[in-house]
């Protein structure tokens, strides 16, 4: 309903309910400002919604305007949320404008720019009539209250009125009172004439000041043009220094780029060396462990052979060969460790 009403009222942008699934304060502010301008084109509400204070001030101004001008109460908290709950508050204003457009006989589907401008004008005239009716209603109530008070005093004033009517009229006193009234009126007329003369003098003074300011503005503009046309003496030197600075900056960028590249290569080389050292250390550790295991195994086998009584000569020779192999392996490992 909200989207159809906005389309019928002539809102230039397409709106869908998906725009309000997440808070969209900018869209809500645009719709509110457009509705307020549609209701009364001469309103002056600041459209700034960049900061939090500006948004709060904007929502308060719109809610106050709708409450005073259209008697529509809006929930400021829901409007500030700028989600689906804000659409319900916007629907209050759009429904009023939509019903007013329907009663005026404007077609909802094809609304041209001329019709929309005419509709705005008619709506403004209705608001003016509404203001006049409100003023008259307030005056009627105040007059009625004062009339009621005066009628309550009628019993007391009736006797005084009858006495005044019955009293004979003295011509001298009446003439005196008329002269006093005439003098008061003449004084008021003279004051009004003096005020009019002062207004004329003030107007003449203001016109003279305006002409003086115009002449000063023209002189300032001519001086500005002359200053802009004149080239400063230090401009050539400034341009040369600027060119040198540009060259120095380009060389600095090139050196900085090369330095960073070389540092990266150095880090890669150190990382590769560290990995090689770690691999060599792991290999040596593995070889040492393996040799220790083989030595322990050979020592166990040698002890078993000594305890046996029947030992053959060829077995002793084999043990000697194995001892020689163990010595060779130890020398090999020591050389590796030293390396």
């Amino acid at each position: 309903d909200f989207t159809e009403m906005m389309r019928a009222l002539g809102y230039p942008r397409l709106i869908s309910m998906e725009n309000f699934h997440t808070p969209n304060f900018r869209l809500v502010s645009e719709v509110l400002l457009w509705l307020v301008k549609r209701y009364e084109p001469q309103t002056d509400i600041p459209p700034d919604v960049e900061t939090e204070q500006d948004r709060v001030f904007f929502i308060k101004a719109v809610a106050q305007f709708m409450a005073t001008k259209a008697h529509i109460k809006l929930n400021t908290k829901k409007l500030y949320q700028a989600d689906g709950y804000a659409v319900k508050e916007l629907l209050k204003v759009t429904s009023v404008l939509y019903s007013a457009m329907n009663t005026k006989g404007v077609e909802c589907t094809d609304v041209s720019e001329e019709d929309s401008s005419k509709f705005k004008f008619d709506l403004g005239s209705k608001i003016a009539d509404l203001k006049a009716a409100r003023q008259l209603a307030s005056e009627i109530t105040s007059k009625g209250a004062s009339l009621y008070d005066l009628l309550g005093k009628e019993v007391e004033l009736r006797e005084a009125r009858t006495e005044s009517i019955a009293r004979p009229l003295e011509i001298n006193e009446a003439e005196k009172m008329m002269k006093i009234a005439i003098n008061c009126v003449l004084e008021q007329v003279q004051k009004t004439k003096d005020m009019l003369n002062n207004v004329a003098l003030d107007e003449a003074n203001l016109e003279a000041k305006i002409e003086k300011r115009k002449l000063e503005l023209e002189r300032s503009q001519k001086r500005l043009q002359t200053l802009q046309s004149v080239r400063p003496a230090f401009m050539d030197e400034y341009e040369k220094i600027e060119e040198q600075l540009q060259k120095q900056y380009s060389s600095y960028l090139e050196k900085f780029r090369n330095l960073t590249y070389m540092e990266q290569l150095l880090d890669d080389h150190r990382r590769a060396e560290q990995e090689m050292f770690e691999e060599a250390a792991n290999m040596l550790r593995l070889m040492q462990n393996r040799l220790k295991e083989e030595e322990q195994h050979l020592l166990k086998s040698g002890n078993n052979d000594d305890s046996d009584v029947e030992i053959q000569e060829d077995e002793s020779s084999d043990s000697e060969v194995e001892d020689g192999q163990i010595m060779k392996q130890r020398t090999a490992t020591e050389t590796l460790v030293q390396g």
Side-chain angles (χ1 to χ4, degrees), residues 48-60:
D48 297 331
V49 291
E50 296 295 331
T51 61
E52 184 178 358
Q53 294 179 356
D54 294 337
R55 292 180 180 181
V56 172
F57 181 75
F58 176 80
I59 293 295
K60 285 183 178 179

Side-chain angles (χ1 to χ4, degrees), residues 63-115:
Q64 186 177 4
F65 173 81
M66 286 298 171
T68 55
K69 301 294 183 182
H71 293 281
I72 299 172
K73 187 177 180 181
L74 298 176
N75 193 342
T76 56
K77 291 182 179 180
K78 292 182 179 179
L79 287 175
Y80 192 81
Q81 288 177 3
D83 52 3
Y85 293 100
V87 177
K88 295 181 181 179
E89 302 300 321
L90 294 173
L91 191 60
K92 296 178 183 178
V93 185
T94 53
S95 60
V96 173
L97 294 175
Y98 186 76
S99 61
M101 186 178 69
N102 287 332
T103 54
K104 196 67 181 177
V106 181
E107 294 182 355
C108 297
T109 55
D110 299 327
V111 180
S112 61
E113 294 181 359
E114 294 179 358
D115 295 335

Side-chain angles (χ1 to χ4, degrees), residues 47-265:
D48 297 331
V49 291
E50 296 295 331
T51 61
E52 184 178 358
Q53 294 179 356
D54 294 337
R55 292 180 180 181
V56 172
F57 181 75
F58 176 80
I59 293 295
K60 285 183 178 179
V62 172
Q64 186 177 4
F65 173 81
M66 286 298 171
T68 55
K69 301 294 183 182
H71 293 281
I72 299 172
K73 187 177 180 181
L74 298 176
N75 193 342
T76 56
K77 291 182 179 180
K78 292 182 179 179
L79 287 175
Y80 192 81
Q81 288 177 3
D83 52 3
Y85 293 100
V87 177
K88 295 181 181 179
E89 302 300 321
L90 294 173
L91 191 60
K92 296 178 183 178
V93 185
T94 53
S95 60
V96 173
L97 294 175
Y98 186 76
S99 61
M101 186 178 69
N102 287 332
T103 54
K104 196 67 181 177
V106 181
E107 294 182 355
C108 297
T109 55
D110 299 327
V111 180
S112 61
E113 294 181 359
E114 294 179 358
D115 295 335
S116 64
S117 64
K118 185 178 179 181
F119 178 70
K120 289 179 183 178
F121 178 76
D122 294 336
L123 186 61
S125 63
K126 282 186 176 181
I127 292 172
D129 295 337
L130 183 62
K131 289 180 179 179
R134 286 177 184 171
Q135 187 175 1
L136 288 173
S138 62
E139 289 179 358
I140 288 169
T141 54
S142 62
K143 295 291 184 182
S146 62
L147 182 62
Y148 179 77
D149 295 334
L150 292 174
L151 288 174
K153 297 177 181 178
E154 176 64 20
V155 178
E156 298 177 358
L157 297 175
R158 187 182 298 168
E159 297 178 358
R161 186 172 62 249
T162 54
E163 289 178 0
S164 298
I165 292 169
R167 189 176 59 186
L169 182 64
E170 295 181 359
I171 298 173
N172 294 324
E173 292 181 359
E175 186 178 358
K176 185 177 180 182
M177 296 299 293
M178 289 297 293
K179 286 181 179 179
I180 293 170
I182 289 168
N183 291 326
C184 291
V185 172
L186 290 174
E187 288 179 358
Q188 291 180 358
V189 170
Q190 188 63 32
K191 288 180 180 178
T192 306
K193 287 181 179 180
D194 294 335
M195 290 174 67
L196 290 173
N197 293 325
N198 293 327
V199 167
L201 292 173
D202 294 336
E203 186 177 0
N205 292 327
L206 288 173
E207 288 180 354
K209 288 181 179 179
I210 289 168
E211 291 294 331
K212 186 178 179 180
R213 296 294 182 183
K214 285 182 179 179
L215 293 174
E216 291 179 357
L217 179 62
E218 290 178 357
R219 286 197 297 270
S220 300
Q221 288 179 352
K222 289 180 180 179
R223 186 177 179 184
L224 178 62
Q225 290 177 359
T226 53
L227 291 173
Q228 288 178 352
S229 61
V230 174
R231 182 180 174 84
F234 59 85
M235 201 66 189
D236 295 332
E237 185 179 359
Y238 174 76
E239 290 177 354
K240 290 179 181 179
I241 294 171
E242 189 176 5
E243 290 178 357
Q244 292 177 1
L245 181 61
Q246 189 67 30
K247 290 179 181 179
Q248 292 291 331
Y249 182 69
S250 61
S251 64
Y252 166 73
L253 285 178
E254 185 177 0
K255 291 179 180 179
F256 183 75
R257 195 181 300 113
N258 293 331
L259 179 61
T260 52
Y261 178 70
M262 295 299 290
E263 287 178 353
Q264 185 178 0
L265 289 177

